[in-house]
Amino acid sequence: MLSKISTDPVKTNNFEVGFYSSLFDRIELNASYFHTYSKLGSDLKIENGFWVVNRTLQKVYGVEMSLDAKILDNLKAGGSFVWMEGKVKNNGSDWDGYMSNLSIPAPKTTFHVRYNPCACIATLPNKTNNVAKIIDL
């Protein structure tokens, strides 16, 4: 039984390129693109009613972006967005299959706001007075 379990490691080639920009000392922008390729990937699929490991060629690619703005000296807001997609190559064909959502999460968007009631509080070492709200869409 154990001899049927594939224990070969997943080896990947990863590439990422991105940039960071600060505009007018009030806006910070980050963005990156990433691409991962594996000759022997690992994803789950259903076969005859059972979850089995799909060991095949796979590639994952996506983007990450974030924007933060200083609206007032004591008020900051921002957000981020992450999207990725994973494809598999079945039986030597084209990249026609998609990886499962167990390996590839749904797109994610977040927003946040940070408020300091007065500038003097921002200098304290423990800033527990900040109000932050994160919303996942």
Side-chain angles (χ1 to χ4, degrees), residues 16-65:
E16 184 168 358
V17 62
F19 73 92
Y20 166 82
S21 182
S22 181
L23 306 169
F24 314 112
D25 292 329
R26 292 205 168 268
I27 297 173
E28 293 179 356
L29 177 65
N30 294 288
S32 65
Y33 169 82
F34 58 89
H35 181 94
T36 300
Y37 172 81
S38 178
K39 291 181 182 178
L40 184 62
S42 176
D43 192 29
L44 292 176
K45 67 178 181 177
I46 295 179
E47 201 172 273
N48 299 323
F50 295 98
W51 287 102
V52 295
V53 178
N54 184 18
R55 303 300 304 262
T56 184
L57 291 165
Q58 64 183 208
K59 64 180 177 180
V60 177
Y61 47 90
V63 293
E64 300 174 353
M65 295 179 278

XYZ file of all heavy atoms in Angstrom, residues 16-65:
414
model
N 9.518 36.438 -9.759
C 8.656 37.533 -9.325
C 9.306 38.856 -9.700
O 10.511 39.036 -9.560
C 8.420 37.483 -7.816
C 7.457 38.529 -7.330
C 7.007 38.314 -5.899
O 7.402 37.324 -5.264
O 6.239 39.167 -5.406
N 8.496 39.768 -10.191
C 8.969 41.099 -10.527
C 7.941 42.087 -9.996
O 6.735 41.820 -10.006
C 9.183 41.270 -12.050
C 7.890 41.100 -12.825
C 9.829 42.592 -12.369
N 8.421 43.217 -9.483
C 7.488 44.180 -8.926
C 8.129 45.535 -8.760
O 9.289 45.743 -9.113
N 7.342 46.455 -8.220
C 7.868 47.789 -7.968
C 7.194 48.395 -6.752
O 6.131 47.960 -6.313
C 7.687 48.699 -9.188
C 6.268 49.139 -9.419
C 5.793 50.316 -8.875
C 5.406 48.380 -10.189
C 4.490 50.728 -9.077
C 4.105 48.778 -10.406
C 3.642 49.954 -9.850
N 7.831 49.402 -6.213
C 7.331 50.182 -5.087
C 7.503 51.645 -5.449
O 8.539 52.036 -5.990
C 8.132 49.856 -3.817
C 7.917 50.847 -2.708
C 6.800 50.740 -1.892
C 8.807 51.885 -2.486
C 6.592 51.655 -0.872
C 8.602 52.795 -1.476
C 7.493 52.678 -0.671
O 7.286 53.580 0.329
N 6.484 52.441 -5.169
C 6.571 53.856 -5.478
C 5.942 54.672 -4.352
O 4.911 54.296 -3.806
C 5.843 54.155 -6.794
O 5.960 55.522 -7.113
N 6.586 55.769 -4.017
C 6.060 56.708 -3.031
C 5.836 58.036 -3.746
O 6.771 58.604 -4.313
C 7.056 56.877 -1.885
O 6.553 57.763 -0.926
N 4.592 58.513 -3.718
C 4.235 59.731 -4.436
C 3.850 60.843 -3.467
O 2.979 60.646 -2.605
C 3.065 59.460 -5.387
C 3.254 58.310 -6.374
C 1.950 57.996 -7.052
C 4.313 58.678 -7.386
N 4.468 61.983 -3.595
C 4.119 63.191 -2.843
C 4.150 62.975 -1.327
O 3.457 63.662 -0.592
C 2.730 63.698 -3.254
C 2.510 63.737 -4.730
C 1.607 62.876 -5.329
C 3.224 64.614 -5.531
C 1.408 62.897 -6.692
C 3.027 64.644 -6.902
C 2.108 63.784 -7.488
N 4.899 62.013 -0.846
C 4.975 61.690 0.588
C 3.613 61.372 1.196
O 3.421 61.447 2.395
C 5.632 62.832 1.383
C 7.098 62.980 1.048
O 7.729 61.955 0.733
O 7.603 64.119 1.094
N 2.640 61.030 0.362
C 1.300 60.729 0.860
C 0.761 59.401 0.323
O -0.137 58.824 0.920
C 0.317 61.837 0.490
C 0.576 63.136 1.212
C -0.703 63.938 1.291
N -0.583 65.045 2.210
C -0.913 64.979 3.487
N -1.340 63.884 4.015
N -0.807 66.047 4.253
N 1.276 58.917 -0.777
C 0.738 57.703 -1.403
C 1.869 56.696 -1.596
O 2.940 57.042 -2.092
C 0.089 58.021 -2.763
C -1.099 58.967 -2.568
C -0.356 56.744 -3.459
C -1.702 59.467 -3.844
N 1.608 55.460 -1.196
C 2.554 54.369 -1.422
C 1.855 53.307 -2.269
O 0.753 52.866 -1.944
C 3.010 53.768 -0.105
C 3.843 54.713 0.718
C 4.265 54.115 2.047
O 3.837 52.982 2.362
O 5.011 54.780 2.768
N 2.512 52.909 -3.343
C 1.950 51.939 -4.274
C 2.926 50.781 -4.440
O 4.119 50.997 -4.655
C 1.686 52.609 -5.631
C 1.171 51.734 -6.753
C -0.223 51.203 -6.417
C 1.130 52.525 -8.053
N 2.425 49.556 -4.302
C 3.214 48.341 -4.499
C 2.487 47.462 -5.500
O 1.262 47.347 -5.451
C 3.337 47.540 -3.193
C 4.129 48.268 -2.149
O 5.324 48.388 -2.258
N 3.444 48.757 -1.130
N 3.236 46.808 -6.374
C 2.633 45.859 -7.309
C 3.682 44.819 -7.688
O 4.880 45.125 -7.759
C 2.119 46.562 -8.557
N 3.235 43.590 -7.894
C 4.155 42.548 -8.332
C 3.403 41.491 -9.134
O 2.199 41.302 -8.977
C 4.873 41.903 -7.145
O 3.955 41.219 -6.330
N 4.142 40.827 -9.995
C 3.656 39.708 -10.791
C 4.528 38.513 -10.437
O 5.748 38.643 -10.319
C 3.764 39.997 -12.289
C 3.512 38.779 -13.147
C 2.214 38.382 -13.439
C 4.565 38.015 -13.643
C 1.969 37.256 -14.212
C 4.330 36.886 -14.410
C 3.032 36.510 -14.693
O 2.800 35.389 -15.443
N 3.933 37.346 -10.259
C 4.719 36.156 -9.954
C 4.303 34.999 -10.849
O 3.180 34.942 -11.355
C 4.594 35.768 -8.476
C 3.178 35.504 -8.029
C 2.624 34.238 -8.132
C 2.413 36.528 -7.500
C 1.325 34.000 -7.721
C 1.124 36.299 -7.082
C 0.571 35.030 -7.197
N 5.252 34.106 -11.067
C 5.042 32.939 -11.924
C 5.833 31.772 -11.322
O 7.012 31.917 -11.021
C 5.538 33.231 -13.342
C 5.339 32.096 -14.287
N 4.239 32.000 -15.095
C 6.083 31.013 -14.548
C 4.327 30.895 -15.814
N 5.441 30.278 -15.496
N 5.179 30.647 -11.139
C 5.803 29.444 -10.598
C 5.522 28.286 -11.539
O 4.403 28.124 -12.017
C 5.233 29.121 -9.198
O 5.498 30.213 -8.344
C 5.866 27.878 -8.618
N 6.549 27.484 -11.803
C 6.417 26.339 -12.701
C 6.979 25.101 -12.007
O 8.003 25.178 -11.337
C 7.176 26.591 -14.001
C 7.250 25.396 -14.907
C 6.187 25.063 -15.727
C 8.383 24.587 -14.929
C 6.244 23.958 -16.547
C 8.449 23.474 -15.756
C 7.378 23.161 -16.565
O 7.438 22.070 -17.373
N 6.291 23.974 -12.155
C 6.760 22.719 -11.577
C 6.545 21.578 -12.563
O 5.470 21.439 -13.138
C 6.013 22.420 -10.275
O 6.439 21.185 -9.755
N 7.592 20.760 -12.756
C 7.472 19.588 -13.626
C 6.675 18.469 -12.964
O 6.098 17.637 -13.649
C 8.861 19.066 -14.008
C 9.618 19.991 -14.918
C 10.963 19.396 -15.266
C 11.757 20.347 -16.135
N 13.089 19.819 -16.440
N 6.663 18.453 -11.653
C 5.922 17.439 -10.905
C 5.226 18.130 -9.742
O 5.704 18.129 -8.622
C 6.863 16.336 -10.396
C 6.199 15.164 -9.690
C 5.260 14.417 -10.636
C 7.248 14.203 -9.139
N 4.081 18.752 -10.036
C 3.349 19.497 -9.022
C 2.500 18.584 -8.159
O 2.541 17.356 -8.271
N 1.728 19.196 -7.304
C 0.878 18.448 -6.382
C -0.431 19.210 -6.195
O -0.428 20.329 -5.714
C 1.595 18.269 -5.045
O 0.756 17.625 -4.132
N -1.524 18.585 -6.600
C -2.847 19.161 -6.439
C -3.811 18.015 -6.168
O -3.517 16.862 -6.501
C -3.257 19.926 -7.697
C -4.488 20.775 -7.498
O -4.734 21.223 -6.361
O -5.209 21.005 -8.487
N -4.933 18.303 -5.572
C -5.914 17.256 -5.302
C -6.989 17.235 -6.382
O -7.387 18.279 -6.901
C -6.564 17.462 -3.935
C -5.666 17.258 -2.727
C -6.419 17.599 -1.445
C -5.163 15.836 -2.660
N -7.455 16.027 -6.721
C -8.568 15.880 -7.652
C -9.416 14.698 -7.183
O -8.956 13.849 -6.413
C -8.074 15.659 -9.082
C -7.351 14.342 -9.304
C -6.942 14.181 -10.746
C -6.234 12.844 -10.962
N -5.896 12.628 -12.355
N -10.643 14.646 -7.636
C -11.540 13.543 -7.276
C -11.468 12.480 -8.366
O -11.605 12.781 -9.550
C -12.982 14.038 -7.100
C -13.067 14.984 -5.917
C -13.934 12.868 -6.924
C -14.440 15.543 -5.676
N -11.240 11.251 -7.936
C -11.164 10.119 -8.856
C -11.944 8.965 -8.247
O -11.606 8.497 -7.155
C -9.687 9.747 -9.059
C -9.416 8.962 -10.309
C -7.929 8.817 -10.536
O -7.349 9.732 -11.170
O -7.351 7.817 -10.070
N -12.989 8.519 -8.909
C -13.853 7.441 -8.413
C -14.395 7.724 -7.012
O -14.488 6.848 -6.173
C -13.125 6.101 -8.424
C -12.697 5.687 -9.818
O -13.430 5.924 -10.784
N -11.530 5.097 -9.936
N -14.730 8.986 -6.749
C -15.301 9.360 -5.461
C -14.294 9.587 -4.350
O -14.683 9.828 -3.212
N -13.004 9.514 -4.640
C -11.974 9.703 -3.626
C -11.036 10.835 -4.043
O -10.756 11.026 -5.219
C -11.148 8.422 -3.436
C -11.933 7.282 -2.882
C -12.447 6.308 -3.729
C -12.167 7.178 -1.518
C -13.183 5.252 -3.227
C -12.892 6.121 -1.010
C -13.406 5.156 -1.857
N -10.526 11.558 -3.033
C -9.521 12.574 -3.285
C -8.179 11.887 -3.509
O -7.764 11.065 -2.706
C -9.387 13.530 -2.098
C -10.528 14.482 -1.957
C -11.557 14.388 -1.078
C -10.748 15.659 -2.712
N -12.414 15.449 -1.240
C -11.936 16.245 -2.232
C -10.067 16.287 -3.756
C -12.458 17.419 -2.757
C -10.583 17.458 -4.263
C -11.759 18.008 -3.776
N -7.523 12.203 -4.619
C -6.205 11.659 -4.915
C -5.281 12.819 -5.298
O -5.732 13.876 -5.735
C -6.235 10.606 -6.046
C -7.015 9.387 -5.626
C -6.797 11.186 -7.323
N -3.988 12.602 -5.123
C -3.004 13.627 -5.471
C -2.739 13.573 -6.967
O -2.451 12.512 -7.520
C -1.696 13.427 -4.675
C -0.667 14.462 -5.088
C -1.962 13.506 -3.182
N -2.874 14.717 -7.622
C -2.617 14.839 -9.055
C -1.179 15.321 -9.235
O -0.868 16.473 -8.994
C -3.610 15.827 -9.668
C -3.472 15.931 -11.163
O -2.893 15.064 -11.809
N -4.019 16.995 -11.728
N -0.287 14.425 -9.631
C 1.128 14.756 -9.827
C 1.362 14.984 -11.312
O 1.479 14.053 -12.085
C 2.021 13.623 -9.316
C 1.824 13.245 -7.858
C 2.096 14.393 -6.890
N 3.382 15.002 -6.976
C 4.414 14.729 -6.184
N 4.311 13.834 -5.243
N 5.542 15.365 -6.329
N 1.378 16.220 -11.725
C 1.522 16.561 -13.134
C 2.211 17.919 -13.277
O 2.446 18.609 -12.291
C 0.135 16.577 -13.817
O 0.292 16.808 -15.209
C -0.751 17.654 -13.245
N 2.512 18.293 -14.514
C 3.061 19.618 -14.782
C 2.056 20.669 -14.334
O 0.856 20.528 -14.583
C 3.304 19.804 -16.279
C 4.424 18.989 -16.920
C 4.285 19.011 -18.428
C 5.754 19.558 -16.520
N 2.548 21.706 -13.665
C 1.639 22.777 -13.270
C 2.357 24.114 -13.253
O 3.570 24.185 -13.095
C 0.971 22.508 -11.929
C 1.879 22.453 -10.756
C 1.149 22.097 -9.462
O 1.601 22.498 -8.421
N 0.069 21.368 -9.499
N 1.550 25.153 -13.447
C 2.075 26.517 -13.350
C 1.062 27.366 -12.596
O -0.150 27.163 -12.696
C 2.384 27.105 -14.719
C 1.183 27.280 -15.632
C 1.606 27.863 -16.967
C 0.428 27.966 -17.915
N 0.820 28.531 -19.203
N 1.586 28.277 -11.811
C 0.777 29.203 -11.024
C 1.297 30.605 -11.322
O 2.504 30.825 -11.350
C 0.891 28.903 -9.514
C 0.105 29.924 -8.706
C 0.423 27.495 -9.206
N 0.387 31.528 -11.551
C 0.798 32.905 -11.807
C -0.245 33.843 -11.219
O -1.390 33.453 -10.974
C 0.977 33.173 -13.304
C -0.156 32.657 -14.150
C -1.253 33.452 -14.442
C -0.134 31.359 -14.642
C -2.294 32.970 -15.206
C -1.165 30.875 -15.411
C -2.245 31.687 -15.691
O -3.282 31.202 -16.444
N 0.156 35.075 -10.959
C -0.791 36.022 -10.383
C -0.178 37.386 -10.133
O 0.983 37.632 -10.453
N -0.998 38.250 -9.543
C -0.575 39.617 -9.239
C -0.959 39.962 -7.807
O -1.929 39.430 -7.261
C -1.214 40.652 -10.199
C -0.696 40.488 -11.605
C -2.723 40.580 -10.159
N -0.175 40.856 -7.225
C -0.449 41.423 -5.907
C -0.285 42.928 -6.027
O 0.689 43.397 -6.613
C 0.539 40.898 -4.865
C 0.527 39.412 -4.670
C 1.626 38.945 -3.719
O 2.472 39.765 -3.319
O 1.622 37.759 -3.384
N -1.248 43.677 -5.477
C -1.174 45.134 -5.528
C -1.643 45.711 -4.195
O -2.532 45.146 -3.558
C -2.074 45.680 -6.636
C -1.647 45.274 -8.025
S -2.750 45.912 -9.292
C -4.039 44.692 -9.231
